[in-house]
Amino acid sequence: MGKIKKKGTSGQARNYITRTQAVRKLQISLPDFRRLCIFKGIYPREPRNNKKASKTSSQATTFYYTKDIQYLLHEPLLAKFREQKALSKKIARSLGRNEVNDAVRLEKYGTPKITLDHIIRERYPTFVDAIRDLDDALSLLFLFANLPSTSTVPSKVIARCQRLCHEFEHYLITSNSLRKSFLSIKGIYYQATIQGQDVMWLVPYRFVQKATQDVDYRIMGTFVDFYSTLLGFVNFRLYTSIGLVYPPKFNAESDERGAELGAFTLEGRVGDGLENGDSLKTIANGHSQTTNSVEVQRQLEQVVQLEESEQDQENDNQAGKEENDDALDKFETAAPEADTLAQPDLDSNQTASLFASFTFYISREAPRHPIEFLLRAFGCRRIGWDPVLGEGAYTNDEIDGRITHQVVDRPSLPESTSLGESGEQGQNVDNNSRTLRPGMRVPGRTYIQPQWVWDCINAGRLLRPDLYAPGATLPPHLSPWVQAAPGQYDPRASLAEQELDGEAQQALEESRNDGKEDDPSSSDVESSEEGSVDGRMDIAGSDNEEDEVDEVPAEEDFAGFEDEEAGGVGSGNEHEDERSQHQKELEAEAAGLPFSSTPVSGKPSTGTIGTEAKKRALKKQKEEEELERRKMMMSRKKRKLFEKMQYSNSKRDAEAEKLRSKRRRLERAS
């Protein structure tokens, strides 16, 4: 006889442990247990059989792996949590004895310091693993960087998040790692390529945030502590990989005055090109600053001038880059039904020089920080803005002649209000800042809306600025990560590329039928009747009017009628027929049809239209019959699956056709 197993010692009852049992085993409180699980990356698990895992208990509970809880027994943070618990008891005892000074001293000097460095090294053994997990970290840190300071969210946490985020943005600007961005309802999406890994995060808009009470900020604060430590490690590794000193110099006074990115000064070692290997190259917002050695400064100026001359030469030869052998290849599909091939992204040289030759000025109503970040990340070194937006600008003078583009978000500015030679301007804030009066425009400057910056970055080239003029209806801002699937409506492609066979002609026929009642050229018979009443036509011909109207649908009789009346009534409407024929040719050209498909006469040939409609209906009927024959050869299971697929495809095609018809009406109306 085999040995009888004791209940609850094997299987799921041994592999899973409840949360209450885990807290008792670790001898910590429930909040500390949550913090520890977040730091270590341990999450609840769902067993296959809750009854067996809970040892015949029917109560709903949370389960963890037993091995995960045993792994937590050796965590050094448990000792820190116990020290904090002991300290809280001492502070409570001192307050109970009315020893306030002792309680303040214990809280100030006796609080144990918790570090998460060892946990970062455990969870991310390689640097690539840390980069892959940056999506959630950046989204949460940028969120806390824009929150207001409250009792649940201290100002120190917000300042730390802002500093880490600005350091990360400076790395993206220096390394030209930013690739795409998108304006959505939730916020601004960014995507960067860091050491071959695509990182995407979300930055909320800078509205007045109101902290709600239905959010557990203690749990979110735990994630902020972990992610801030992670981003600090990543920033250190990224800065050192490109030869920069970390952390960069931070000017707190400049940051309080709204400098943001301008409050940081990047320092990089340039020992390769100089004799003194310990010398530093100081970079602040794209402008070199002085160092201690005069010789070093002279060599640095030569290097900067050489880089600027090379960059200007690249900008002049930007048109010939596409013909270069090193240009990126474009993959084209062999058949129209084939899948769309993914095109390679732009290299760092092309993205670094997109806005390099321009000088931008950001108006006070435009969002300064995201525009400044995008412009600097794509090569622009000279960015000015209104003084009320903060310091750190290249220039605060709105009338500066070096400005080539101005980002505005106002109604359209008429050309008649351009700034003349007299130089009318508003009140000067100081000697370096001049502002225009409302409605004034500087001649020779390109005025654009903020969306132009995002669309140029996503397209990888400079778009037409007149489409983004102030007050103009902007083109659709589409997500750069959504690729149009075959059969779906693509707003980027033209209407002729997406229309099915005969769809344009059918839409043209429907529009003609709808406009027959309003078209004066389509009611010649009625005009002839009115002419007979006025006495301008022969009354003897009015007896056969009904027979002639009945014979109109026949193509041959209709042509013969025109031949017979060529010398009579038709000669009076000759110019009108030419105008109607020209109108039909324009409609056919807009629909993408050849001119030969339109009738020669001014009136539409109903016989030709009816023949083409019958051909399309016959072709559709044959396809449906062939489809039914194939479905009869399928099994029941496959036939049901095929019908579901067919239903979803028909629903998608109907939606695409609806969008195409809407776009067709808009194009005709315009």
Side-chain angles (χ1 to χ4, degrees):
M1 185 176 178
K3 184 177 180 182
I4 301 175
K5 293 184 179 180
K6 188 177 180 182
K7 190 175 183 180
T9 57
S10 62
Q12 297 188 34
R14 183 179 180 181
N15 294 335
Y16 293 92
I17 185 174
T18 61
R19 187 179 63 182
T20 304
Q21 294 173 351
V23 171
R24 291 177 181 176
K25 192 171 186 177
L26 296 175
Q27 298 181 2
I28 55 177
S29 60
L30 183 59
D32 292 340
F33 176 75
R34 290 198 185 104
R35 292 179 61 193
L36 188 60
C37 289
I38 292 173
F39 291 153
K40 300 292 288 185
I42 295 175
Y43 302 97
R45 307 291 179 174
E46 183 67 23
R48 294 182 179 179
N49 194 329
N50 292 337
K51 188 174 182 181
K52 291 182 179 180
S54 59
K55 301 177 183 179
T56 67
S57 177
S58 60
Q59 296 180 357
T61 184
T62 305
F63 295 94
Y64 292 87
Y65 281 144
T66 305
K67 291 185 178 180
D68 292 343
I69 303 304
Q70 291 177 353
Y71 176 69
L72 292 179
L73 290 172
H74 307 283
E75 176 57 40
L77 288 180
L78 286 175
K80 298 291 183 180
F81 291 160
R82 290 169 183 147
E83 291 179 5
Q84 286 183 347
K85 186 177 181 180
L87 178 65
S88 62
K89 290 182 179 180
K90 292 180 181 178
I91 293 175
R93 184 169 61 250
S94 299
L95 293 176
R97 296 175 179 176
N98 202 13
E99 299 174 353
V100 180
N101 294 332
D102 293 344
V104 172
R105 177 180 54 82
L106 290 173
E107 185 177 3
K108 185 176 182 180
Y109 299 103
T111 303
K113 186 177 181 181
I114 297 178
T115 58
L116 307 176
D117 300 346
H118 64 286
I119 296 180
I120 300 296
R121 289 191 289 266
E122 288 177 4
R123 293 187 61 176
Y124 306 104
T126 62
F127 185 61
V128 177
D129 297 333
I131 294 178
R132 290 173 181 171
D133 202 26
L134 273 183
D135 298 351
D136 296 336
L138 292 174
S139 298
L140 186 62
L141 292 180
F142 273 98
L143 171 63
F144 268 75
N146 294 323
L147 288 179
S149 176
T150 58
S151 59
T152 55
V153 184
S155 59
K156 294 183 179 179
V157 176
I158 297 175
R160 185 183 182 187
C161 293
Q162 290 178 352
R163 184 168 181 175
L164 290 172
C165 293
H166 289 159
E167 290 174 355
F168 181 74
E169 289 178 345
H170 268 295
Y171 166 77
L172 297 179
I173 295 172
T174 306
S175 62
N176 301 316
S177 301
L178 195 64
R179 292 294 176 264
K180 297 177 182 178
S181 181
F182 176 63
L183 298 168
S184 69
I185 299 177
K186 297 180 181 179
I188 305 176
Y189 284 92
Y190 296 96
Q191 183 184 15
T193 302
I194 303 175
Q195 297 189 2
Q197 302 295 327
D198 292 335
V199 181
M200 184 187 299
W201 67 98
L202 176 64
V203 179
Y205 294 113
R206 292 195 172 182
F207 295 140
V208 179
Q209 302 288 345
K210 183 178 181 181
T212 58
Q213 301 297 329
D214 55 349
V215 179
D216 194 347
Y217 287 96
R218 293 182 301 174
I219 296 179
M220 296 186 67
T222 304
F223 278 101
V224 168
D225 293 340
F226 175 75
Y227 285 147
S228 58
T229 307
L230 171 62
L231 188 57
F233 271 87
V234 172
N235 286 344
F236 170 77
R237 182 69 178 271
L238 293 177
Y239 271 62
T240 54
S241 64
I242 59 177
L244 296 179
V245 178
Y246 187 82
K249 291 184 179 180
F250 177 69
N251 190 349
E253 297 180 356
S254 180
D255 183 68
E256 291 178 357
R257 291 190 292 268
E260 295 183 350
L261 291 175
F264 293 84
T265 304
L266 305 184
E267 297 179 344
R269 296 185 179 275
V270 290
D272 296 337
L274 301 176
E275 297 179 357
N276 186 8
D278 296 332
S279 59
L280 297 178
K281 178 183 177 183
T282 306
I283 307 172
N285 294 336
H287 303 282
S288 298
Q289 296 177 353
T290 58
T291 54
N292 296 331
S293 176
V294 179
E295 182 67 20
V296 171
Q297 176 63 20
R298 185 181 61 83
Q299 297 184 12
L300 285 177
E301 291 179 355
Q302 294 178 359
V303 172
V304 172
Q305 292 178 0
L306 180 61
E307 291 179 354
E308 291 181 353
S309 61
E310 292 177 354
Q311 190 171 7
D312 295 338
Q313 185 177 2
E314 291 179 357
N315 296 332
D316 296 336
N317 300 330
Q318 186 176 4
K321 281 185 177 180
E322 298 179 356
E323 301 178 359
N324 193 4
D325 296 336
D326 298 334
L328 298 175
D329 297 332
K330 294 183 179 180
F331 302 103
E332 299 179 356
T333 56
E337 297 83 5
D339 297 337
T340 303
L341 300 177
Q343 301 296 333
D345 295 333
L346 298 175
D347 55 3
S348 59
N349 295 329
Q350 291 176 340
T351 57
S353 59
L354 188 61
F355 304 118
S357 59
F358 301 142
T359 301
F360 285 85
Y361 186 86
I362 305 174
S363 300
R364 62 185 353 177
E365 73 278 357
R368 173 208 145 188
H369 179 74
I371 295 177
E372 178 193 3
F373 171 56
L374 289 176
L375 293 178
R376 293 194 185 281
F378 285 87
C380 185
R381 297 185 178 181
R382 301 172 296 273
I383 307 174
W385 53 76
D386 196 274
V388 298
L389 298 178
E391 65 176 33
Y394 176 74
T395 178
N396 291 328
D397 186 7
E398 191 175 356
I399 318 178
D400 195 340
R402 296 171 294 180
I403 300 174
T404 60
H405 291 70
Q406 183 169 352
V407 183
V408 297
D409 197 6
R410 304 172 183 171
S412 60
L413 302 177
E415 295 292 340
S416 59
T417 59
S418 301
L419 182 64
E421 296 181 356
S422 59
E424 294 184 7
Q425 61 191 34
Q427 186 178 2
N428 295 344
V429 180
D430 51 29
N431 296 330
N432 297 326
S433 63
R434 293 180 297 173
T435 58
L436 294 175
R437 293 178 180 177
M440 302 296 292
R441 174 180 287 190
V442 179
R445 183 180 300 178
T446 303
Y447 287 83
I448 51 176
Q449 298 189 43
Q451 184 180 330
W452 182 80
V453 179
W454 274 265
D455 289 350
C456 289
I457 290 172
N458 296 334
R461 57 186 176 86
L462 297 176
L463 302 177
R464 292 173 48 187
D466 58 332
L467 300 177
Y468 301 85
T473 302
L474 295 174
H477 183 62
L478 305 175
S479 174
W481 301 286
V482 176
Q483 300 295 334
Q488 292 183 353
Y489 174 74
D490 187 8
R492 301 181 182 90
S494 62
L495 190 59
E497 297 176 359
Q498 306 181 65
E499 289 178 338
L500 303 177
D501 296 339
E503 182 180 354
Q505 187 174 0
Q506 184 178 2
L508 182 60
E509 295 171 4
E510 293 177 357
S511 63
R512 286 175 177 175
N513 296 332
D514 295 341
K516 262 185 179 182
E517 298 178 357
D518 300 332
D519 191 1
S521 62
S522 63
S523 59
D524 293 337
V525 179
E526 296 178 2
S527 63
S528 63
E529 293 178 358
E530 293 176 1
S532 63
V533 174
D534 296 337
R536 304 174 197 173
M537 293 183 60
D538 191 5
I539 304 177
S542 61
D543 297 332
N544 298 327
E545 275 183 359
E546 297 180 358
D547 299 335
E548 291 173 357
V549 173
D550 296 337
E551 292 176 357
V552 166
E555 185 177 2
E556 298 179 355
D557 297 341
F558 185 76
F561 174 75
E562 288 186 350
D563 295 338
E564 292 176 1
E565 299 294 335
V569 182
S571 61
N573 298 332
E574 184 177 356
H575 298 287
E576 185 178 357
D577 294 342
E578 291 178 358
R579 289 195 298 270
S580 61
Q581 171 65 15
H582 182 63
Q583 179 66 22
K584 299 301 184 298
E585 290 178 356
L586 293 178
E587 293 180 359
E589 184 180 359
L593 299 175
F595 293 144
S596 59
S597 62
T598 58
V600 180
S601 61
K603 301 179 182 179
S605 179
T606 56
T608 305
I609 295 174
T611 304
E612 294 179 356
K614 288 180 181 179
K615 288 182 180 180
R616 288 196 299 267
L618 184 60
K619 183 179 179 181
K620 185 176 181 182
Q621 184 179 0
K622 289 182 179 181
E623 292 178 355
E624 292 178 355
E625 292 177 357
E626 181 65 21
L627 186 61
E628 291 295 333
R629 282 194 295 268
R630 292 183 179 181
K631 288 170 61 177
M632 291 174 61
M633 304 300 295
M634 296 181 182
S635 62
R636 185 177 180 182
K637 183 178 181 180
K638 292 183 178 180
R639 185 167 60 253
K640 288 185 176 181
L641 180 60
F642 179 75
E643 289 176 355
K644 291 181 180 179
M645 295 170 58
Q646 193 175 9
Y647 172 76
S648 61
N649 291 339
S650 62
K651 188 176 181 180
R652 180 198 61 191
D653 296 341
E655 183 179 358
E657 184 179 359
K658 182 179 178 181
L659 293 175
R660 287 196 298 269
S661 62
K662 183 178 180 180
R663 179 176 177 180
R664 192 180 298 110
R665 289 194 301 268
L666 292 176
E667 290 181 356
R668 289 179 180 176
S670 60

